[in-house]
């Protein structure tokens, strides 16, 4: 797992060189994309939630994200002929995702696949296909394929935006610094060991975020659950104060994210939670302010939305790894977890 986390700077650099030339996005998509439906499971589903953020905020395209296990049982009559269906699976063999994809194809609707396996049925079945090109992922908990999926979704969003004559200069102008930023984050992140030691002592805690920080919270929880077996509840930050707030009466611990694209609403909600409850808090942030939190995990500042997001993903994965190591878990062979493919 550690090796694959450390490889991500090189993988993202390879994808940049593959899909972007002189700041232009060189990929093939339908000429018109009116709406998008993403279908996936596990970490791929969390990547899809981040894709929704990209498509709606960068490409101004309505997007929904469905669990493959639920979508697989949808009536074909409910399929949308005007939508581009995107299926994400690291292996390209995930049983429920593949079955869902086959149903959409049978309805004669174009499909796009994002996978790390060019010799998989999902890759061959797709009308539009993207190879994550991350190499074999040996760790059970997805790391490099997750960041590669998120980056690929960002690339697709930029391409759709360009096709709609939306200016993507701010999105792409610092693209060639992203790989370097990832490598610096792995080497320079502050207080990560301290945060991991603290969280490894908790039986349960909450994680939340607003906007794209919510799927980041979901992915953080999934990684920690998969590798350390700690029970973590995840919530959108605004929703957390509508009832879930009461959980702090018991656990009194939470993890959240604050980035330079956060709104004043998010900061005010965080301050309200900290003020209302005498909680222990871990904040992962590239905004070095005094949140009155217990542990501030600082990540390097960037001038790129996608670089900041990828940096937080790296920190999430390192945090999960370090928590598991503190608990003496075998992160490469976690109990009760395996890649779910071919109907298993």
């Amino acid at each position: 797992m550690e090796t694959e986390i450390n490889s991500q700077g090189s993988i993202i650099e390879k994808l940049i060189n593959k899909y972007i030339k002189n700041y232009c996005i060189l990929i093939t998509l339908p000429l018109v994309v009116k709406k998008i439906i993403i279908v996936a499971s596990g970490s791929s589903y969390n990547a899809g939630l981040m894709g929704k953020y990209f498509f709606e905020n960068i490409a101004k395209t309505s997007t929904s994200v469905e669990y493959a296990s639920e979508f697989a049982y949808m009536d074909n009559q409910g399929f949308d002929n005007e939508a581009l269906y995107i299926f994400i699976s690291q292996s390209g063999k995930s049983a429920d995702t593949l079955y869902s994809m086959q149903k959409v194809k049978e309805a004669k609707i174009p499909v796009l696949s994002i996978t790390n396996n060019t010799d998989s049925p999902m890759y061959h079945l797709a009308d539009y296909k993207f190879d994550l090109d991350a190499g074999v992922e040996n760790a059970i908990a997805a790391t490099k394929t997750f960041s590669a999926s998120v980056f690929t979704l960002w690339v697709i969003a930029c391409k759709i935006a360009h096709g709609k004559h939306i200016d993507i200069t701010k999105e792409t102008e610092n693209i060639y610094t992203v790989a370097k930023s990832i490598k610096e984050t792995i080497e320079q992140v502050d207080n990560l060991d301290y945060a991991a030691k603290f969280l490894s002592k908790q039986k349960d805690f909450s994680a939340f975020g607003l906007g794209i920080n919510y799927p980041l919270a979901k992915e953080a929880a999934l990684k920690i659950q998969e590798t350390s077996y700690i029970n973590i509840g995840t919530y959108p930050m605004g929703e957390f104060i509508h009832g879930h707030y009461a959980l702090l009466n018991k656990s009194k611990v939470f993890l959240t994210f604050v980035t330079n694209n956060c709104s004043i609403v998010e900061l005010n909600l965080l301050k309200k939670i900290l003020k209302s409850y005498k909680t222990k808090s871990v904040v992962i942030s590239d905004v070095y302010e005094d949140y009155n939190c217990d542990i501030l995990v600082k990540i390097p500042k960037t001038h790129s939305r996608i670089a900041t997001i990828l940096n937080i993903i790296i920190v999430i994965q390192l945090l999960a790894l370090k928590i598991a190591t503190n608990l003496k878990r075998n992160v490469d062979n976690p109990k009760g977890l395996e890649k779910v493919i071919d109907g298993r």
Side-chain angles (χ1 to χ4, degrees):
M1 183 175 176
E2 183 176 16
T3 299
E4 291 176 352
I5 290 173
N6 291 335
S7 71
Q8 288 172 99
S10 299
I11 291 167
I12 296 300
E13 184 173 34
K14 182 165 55 175
L15 290 174
I16 290 170
N17 293 332
K18 183 176 183 178
Y19 293 131
I20 303 174
K21 302 294 182 185
N22 297 321
Y23 301 96
C24 294
I25 311 294
L26 302 180
I27 62 175
T28 301
L29 291 174
L31 293 176
V32 178
V33 179
K34 293 184 178 181
K35 62 183 72 170
I36 292 170
I37 298 172
I38 300 172
V39 182
S41 298
S43 283
S44 293
Y45 177 85
N46 294 338
L49 289 176
M50 300 180 76
K52 173 181 169 67
Y53 176 89
F54 297 144
F55 292 129
E56 294 187 340
N57 287 272
I58 300 173
K60 312 303 179 187
T61 303
S62 176
T63 304
S64 63
V65 187
E66 307 289 343
Y67 284 108
S69 55
E70 297 292 324
F71 186 90
Y73 296 99
M74 179 184 284
D75 190 319
N76 292 33
Q77 299 301 316
F79 296 161
D80 191 333
N81 289 312
E82 293 190 334
L84 173 63
Y85 284 81
I86 298 178
F87 296 85
I88 310 172
S89 168
Q90 301 143 21
S91 67
K93 300 177 181 180
S94 180
D96 44 14
T97 309
L98 175 58
Y99 179 63
S100 298
M101 187 179 188
Q102 290 169 334
K103 288 183 67 174
V104 175
K105 281 289 289 184
E106 288 171 3
K108 302 189 184 305
I109 299 173
V111 299
L112 182 155
S113 73
I114 297 174
T115 178
N116 195 43
N117 184 358
T118 59
D119 192 31
S120 65
M122 279 182 58
Y123 187 85
H124 293 302
L125 189 62
D127 301 281
Y128 305 93
K129 54 196 73 179
F130 290 87
D131 174 20
L132 297 177
D133 202 11
V136 176
E137 188 169 57
N138 293 304
I140 295 295
T143 53
K144 60 184 182 179
T145 54
F146 179 76
S147 59
S149 295
V150 169
F151 180 77
T152 300
L153 287 162
W154 175 83
V155 170
I156 295 169
C158 288
K159 180 67 173 183
I160 294 172
H162 183 71
K164 292 184 173 183
H165 306 292
I166 297 170
D167 185 5
I168 59 171
T169 302
K170 287 186 178 180
E171 289 295 326
T172 60
E173 62 183 349
N174 293 300
I175 190 62
Y176 296 109
T177 67
V178 172
K180 180 181 177 182
S181 176
I182 291 172
K183 293 173 184 177
E184 289 175 349
T185 295
I186 292 173
E187 296 171 357
Q188 298 177 12
V189 63
D190 292 335
N191 287 334
L192 193 60
D193 289 334
Y194 182 29
K197 185 176 181 180
F198 169 68
L199 291 174
S200 68
K201 296 177 180 178
Q202 312 307 316
K203 292 183 178 180
D204 59 80
F205 58 89
S206 299
F208 49 77
L210 189 68
I212 199 165
N213 290 333
Y214 170 54
L216 283 169
K218 283 180 65 67
E219 179 62 14
L222 180 61
K223 284 292 159 284
I224 296 168
Q225 288 168 338
E226 287 177 332
T227 54
S228 293
Y229 326 136
I230 297 173
N231 182 34
I232 307 170
T234 54
Y235 315 89
M237 181 178 280
E239 184 64 18
F240 185 73
I241 66 173
H242 293 287
H244 307 294
Y245 215 19
L247 293 171
L248 296 179
N249 286 313
K250 181 183 177 183
S251 69
K252 296 187 179 299
V253 174
F254 71 80
L255 168 68
T256 193
F257 307 85
V258 179
T259 50
N260 57 21
N261 60 353
C262 290
S263 67
I264 191 68
V265 174
E266 184 165 2
L267 296 177
N268 287 339
L269 283 172
L270 178 57
K271 289 175 183 177
K272 180 178 180 180
I273 293 168
L274 288 166
K275 183 179 180 180
S276 299
Y277 288 88
K278 301 301 180 183
T279 60
K280 298 291 186 181
S281 53
V282 177
V283 177
I284 297 175
S285 178
D286 64 345
V287 183
Y288 308 155
E289 295 184 5
D290 181 10
Y291 304 108
N292 292 317
C293 62
D294 293 274
I295 303 173
L296 177 61
V297 179
K298 298 179 181 179
I299 64 172
K301 297 176 183 287
T302 78
H303 298 288
S304 163
R305 184 199 319 241
I306 188 61
T308 297
I309 290 167
L310 290 170
N311 285 347
I312 293 179
I313 289 170
I314 298 295
V315 171
I316 285 169
Q317 295 169 357
L318 288 171
L319 180 63
L321 175 67
K322 289 176 181 293
I323 291 172
T325 301
N326 283 333
L327 292 170
K328 302 188 185 307
R329 311 291 195 217
N330 184 343
V331 294
D332 292 328
N333 188 26
K335 295 179 180 178
L337 186 67
E338 62 179 16
K339 305 283 189 184
V340 182
I341 60 173
D342 298 334
R344 286 185 289 154

